[in-house]
Each structure stands twice: as C-alpha cells, then as structure tokens.
Amino acid sequence: MGHRTIRKRAGGLIAAALALLALAVPLPASAWGFYAHTVTADIAEANVRPQTRAGIARLLRAAPLLGTPDCPLATIQDAAVWPDCIRGEGWRWGYTAAWHYQTEPITEEYSDRKNCSGGNCVSAQVTRNLRILADESLPDPVRLQALAFFVHFAGDIHMPLHSGDLEDRGGNDRTVAYGIAPGLNLHWIWDGPLAERAISAARPGLVRVYTAAERAALGGGGPADWGRESWETARDFVYPNAFDCRPCLEVPEETALTQEDIVVAIPVAERRVTQAGLRIAEGLDAAFAPGPLPGED
C-alpha cells in the first residue's frame, strides 16, 4: 500500500471521527431549534386560507430587497427561522436579541407588561409585527420582514422557558442530563431534543389540516394569553418535572430527566408546538383579511 493511499485512508478516518464528535456535542440551540420552528410553519401553511397562502407568496418575492443573502427567505419555513439566522450578524441585527423571550419569574404574578421595556420582548413583538404585516399601506419588504418576525416569535412565545424563569435565564443556567446524555441544560432540552421527540412521536402527525373543533380547542387568544400559558406551564410542569418540587422556589443547579420524566413531558411539548402552528395560521389569516387581529378587542 503506497504512502498516498495510507494518508488518504487516515484522512478519511480522522474526518469520520471529527464528524461523530460534532454530532456528540450539542450546538447552542436557537429558540425551539430549526426543526420545531419549521414544523410550526408547516402546520400554519396547511391550515391557512388559500388567499392567505397567495398573499404570503407575493410578499416572499420581495426577499432580495431585505439584503440577507446568507439567510434565505423563499418559503414560510425559511421565515420561521430567519430571525435566528440574522442574529449571526450582530452588528446589524443585535437589537432584535431581546425580542425572542420575556422571562417572567414563576415565583411572582405574571404580567405581559413586565420585563418589556420599550417593547423589547416577545409578546410586544408578536403584536407589533402582526400589525405591520396587516398594514397594506406599507411596502412589501417591510411587511415581509414583519411576516418572518411574527411567524418566528409566535413560535418562541409558546416555548415554556421563553416565558417562565427561576432566576436562571429560562433554564439556561441549570445543568440537566437528558436520559443518558449528560451536561445539557433545561432550556436547551426543551428547545431541541424534547420538542423534536414530541414532533416525531406524534400520532397522527402534527402537520395536517385540523378540524374546526380541533382549532377551536387549541387556538384562540392573543400574545398575552400565549405568554401566560407558557409561564404557567413552566411553573406547574417544566420545573416540577425536572426538580421534583411543587411549588418550585429554590432548586439545585443540576438535575436529570429520567426516561419517565421525558415520557410525561412529550404531550406537553407536542401541545405547545401544535398550538403555535395553529395560532400562527390564525394570525396570518387575520393579517391578510379585514377584521381584528389576535389579542385585539
């Protein structure tokens, strides 16, 4: 065997080892991760009116005018992750970082106006961007940017740890093992592997046309309601499930989710993903038709 062949095979083994190592180390999660956000967009797309779908397609043609070639915006699925993608250009989009969450202490009363100075929180930005999207007097690029922000932030606000908090940055400061996988954190688990498992295990699948009865049961409300639901879920389920406490006032910095903990958490995560998708559909339908927007009196 020649030296060139040896070097080639050695290089291939090293590359394979590095690839496996990359898979073993969790990357920092975006809010709800790529998969969950795109699934909320899939649910919304399957449940909007045909005229809404046509209106979205027209706005998407304005994507080149936004000047974000590294963050494509050709589909509603792209829109669902675009606000996370642009955060890679912090010098340009850094001011949007606080728009993705609104951590409210689970030991205090909930208020959608608290921790939202100047509208820099997720509930305010869901409302703001939906209003911009619905304003037909604005140019298409402005409305398209608002579309992407609305679709993404409406997903974010349904993730419990983007609202509920125990002085730990929404679970980011709590080291948690996920089954046999050690060294993660509570926020990352709910953003990524738990949401992904809930989506993959759902029967029937989450991406489908929902009945009027299902939409009535899972939809409705506005950003303040959605944030409160997430905060209550964090208070009444996420932290108790992780730390075996009720109420949870003080918890240790480390814990582990057993397989039993994960199994009972899956329906909770599934419901929040489904609600997000259906409520995104409701908001989009309202934005492209006359009438009140979600949360408006």
Side-chain angles (χ1 to χ4, degrees), residues 88-129:
E89 290 187 343
W91 61 272
R92 182 180 175 191
W93 300 100
Y95 66 93
T96 68
W99 295 359
H100 294 252
Y101 61 92
Q102 186 176 358
T103 49
E104 298 287 342
I106 61 171
T107 55
E108 302 175 9
E109 288 298 316
Y110 175 82
S111 170
D112 67 303
R113 299 180 182 274
K114 193 165 53 177
N115 298 329
C116 194
S117 177
N120 287 301
C121 72
V122 68
S123 64
Q125 290 302 321
V126 171
T127 300
R128 171 180 172 269
N129 283 286

Side-chain angles (χ1 to χ4, degrees), residues 161 174-191 193-195 197 237-244 254-266:
L161 292 173
R174 307 290 178 186
T175 302
V176 180
Y178 180 73
I180 63 171
L184 307 180
N185 69 65
L186 189 61
H187 191 107
W188 194 91
I189 288 168
W190 276 83
D191 262 350
L194 186 55
R197 182 167 172 181
F237 182 83
V238 176
Y239 284 98
N241 174 253
F243 295 98
D244 298 320
E254 296 188 17
T255 190
L257 290 183
T258 66
Q259 186 61 33
E260 291 75 15
D261 294 331
I262 295 167
V263 168
V264 297
I266 287 172

Side-chain angles (χ1 to χ4, degrees), residues 19 22 32 39 41 48 142 147 160 194-195 210 246 281:
W32 250 1
V39 168
V48 293
V142 174
L147 168 71
L194 186 55
Y210 286 74
R246 190 179 297 272

Side-chain angles (χ1 to χ4, degrees), residues 9 15 25 36 65 68 74 88 100 116 119 128 167 180-181 212 222 233 261 265:
R9 289 187 177 179
V25 178
L65 299 176
T68 59
H100 294 252
C116 194
R128 171 180 172 269
E167 296 183 357
I180 63 171
T233 302
D261 294 331

Side-chain angles (χ1 to χ4, degrees), residues 231-251:
W231 173 81
E232 289 175 345
T233 302
R235 180 194 64 187
D236 298 339
F237 182 83
V238 176
Y239 284 98
N241 174 253
F243 295 98
D244 298 320
C245 55
R246 190 179 297 272
C248 295
L249 302 177
E250 294 183 6
V251 298

Side-chain angles (χ1 to χ4, degrees), residues 6-263:
I6 293 172
R7 286 197 301 271
K8 184 175 180 180
R9 289 187 177 179
L13 290 172
I14 292 169
L18 289 174
L20 289 172
L21 180 62
L23 289 173
V25 178
L27 298 174
S30 303
W32 250 1
F34 179 89
Y35 184 38
H37 270 300
T38 55
V39 168
T40 64
D42 289 335
I43 294 170
E45 187 175 47
N47 288 276
V48 293
R49 301 186 188 105
Q51 56 266 39
T52 300
R53 198 172 294 114
I56 293 170
R58 182 177 61 80
L59 289 183
L60 288 168
R61 291 197 288 269
L65 299 176
L66 296 184
T68 59
D70 293 332
C71 297
L73 194 47
T75 66
I76 190 173
Q77 290 75 21
D78 290 341
V81 296
W82 182 86
D84 276 340
C85 180
I86 60 172
R87 292 174 69 182
E89 290 187 343
W91 61 272
R92 182 180 175 191
W93 300 100
Y95 66 93
T96 68
W99 295 359
H100 294 252
Y101 61 92
Q102 186 176 358
T103 49
E104 298 287 342
I106 61 171
T107 55
E108 302 175 9
E109 288 298 316
Y110 175 82
S111 170
D112 67 303
R113 299 180 182 274
K114 193 165 53 177
N115 298 329
C116 194
S117 177
N120 287 301
C121 72
V122 68
S123 64
Q125 290 302 321
V126 171
T127 300
R128 171 180 172 269
N129 283 286
L130 189 56
R131 289 187 65 181
I132 292 171
L133 174 60
D135 190 342
E136 295 182 353
S137 70
L138 295 173
D140 284 357
V142 174
R143 295 181 68 204
L144 175 58
Q145 180 174 299
L147 168 71
F149 279 135
F150 166 70
V151 171
H152 182 87
F153 295 149
D156 280 350
I157 201 171
H158 281 81
M159 203 289 252
L161 292 173
H162 278 257
S163 290
D165 175 76
L166 196 55
E167 296 183 357
D168 57 6
R169 298 187 304 125
N172 275 293
D173 296 333
R174 307 290 178 186
T175 302
V176 180
Y178 180 73
I180 63 171
L184 307 180
N185 69 65
L186 189 61
H187 191 107
W188 194 91
I189 288 168
W190 276 83
D191 262 350
L194 186 55
E196 292 165 9
R197 182 167 172 181
I199 293 166
S200 300
R203 296 293 182 273
L206 299 189
V207 181
R208 56 187 172 85
V209 177
Y210 286 74
T211 66
E214 288 174 319
R215 294 182 65 156
L218 295 167
D225 306 303
W226 309 340
R228 178 182 291 276
E229 290 170 355
S230 285
W231 173 81
E232 289 175 345
T233 302
R235 180 194 64 187
D236 298 339
F237 182 83
V238 176
Y239 284 98
N241 174 253
F243 295 98
D244 298 320
C245 55
R246 190 179 297 272
C248 295
L249 302 177
E250 294 183 6
V251 298
E253 292 183 1
E254 296 188 17
T255 190
L257 290 183
T258 66
Q259 186 61 33
E260 291 75 15
D261 294 331
I262 295 167
V263 168

